[in-house]
Amino acid sequence: MAYRLQVEHHSPARPEQLWSVLSDWEGQHRWIPLTSVRVLEGDGSQVGDLVEAVSRPGWGERRRGLVDRMRVTRTVPGYLLEVEHLGPFFRGLGRFTLVSDGQGTRITSLEEVSGPAPAVALAPLSGPALRVGLRGSLRSLSELAGRVSV
């Protein structure tokens, strides 16, 4: 069973500013609530590198919770970051694209995942909340990037 979630946000920040925040895996907790990310193989910037996100309520570093291991599958600095979700809970595609429009940058986040049938079956019911949460994360990403000088 599969689920697709796509959200866009317009940011006044330039793609390079957004990229510096987006590609900082271990700093993603600053704009993705309740989630810690760490690089397990490589430095997180190259195809084949492995990262792990753990989401759960509470503060500080998280080692238990909803674990999401991801392999970097494509990267075009300043434009595209794509991962393959490896599980254990969800598998599939995750992609961020950054497109300059002359007045800022359109950020698009796309998740196409499959997982345990009950979880994916419930995803459409929680879709509006997931969409709101992801939109909020993209707003936070935009705000952080606006403070970056590149």
Side-chain angles (χ1 to χ4, degrees):
M1 215 172 206
Y3 181 70
R4 183 178 198 272
L5 175 66
Q6 182 172 322
V7 173
E8 292 187 359
H9 176 76
H10 186 269
S11 172
R14 296 184 324 276
E16 317 80 65
Q17 292 172 290
L18 289 156
W19 185 260
S20 70
V21 177
L22 177 64
S23 61
D24 174 14
W25 289 103
E26 295 187 1
Q28 285 191 3
H29 68 277
R30 298 178 301 153
W31 58 277
I32 302 175
L34 308 175
T35 301
S36 295
V37 181
R38 61 188 178 133
V39 177
L40 300 177
E41 294 176 10
D43 65 6
S45 69
Q46 303 296 314
V47 170
D49 289 354
L50 183 67
V51 297
E52 178 183 74
V54 180
S55 301
R56 71 167 178 80
W59 303 105
E61 188 170 338
R62 293 159 180 85
R63 299 227 184 259
R64 294 190 180 151
L66 181 66
V67 176
D68 184 11
R69 288 190 186 86
M70 297 167 275
R71 178 89 50 201
V72 176
T73 55
R74 287 177 51 195
T75 180
V76 180
Y79 175 71
L80 173 74
L81 177 60
E82 186 176 277
V83 298
E84 177 185 5
H85 294 279
L86 303 171
F89 295 103
F90 297 99
R91 296 182 181 279
L93 169 77
R95 178 186 302 143
F96 285 96
T97 55
L98 308 171
V99 178
S100 178
D101 63 8
Q103 297 181 357
T105 306
R106 186 179 71 246
I107 310 165
T108 303
S109 174
L110 171 68
E111 296 287 338
E112 292 179 334
V113 296
S114 61
V120 176
L122 292 174
L125 299 175
S126 60
L130 293 171
R131 190 167 276 104
V132 166
L134 185 51
R135 231 180 237 118
S137 291
L138 295 183
R139 261 193 314 277
S140 295
L141 167 64
S142 175
E143 290 168 8
L144 282 168
R147 295 183 232 148
V148 172
S149 58
V150 177

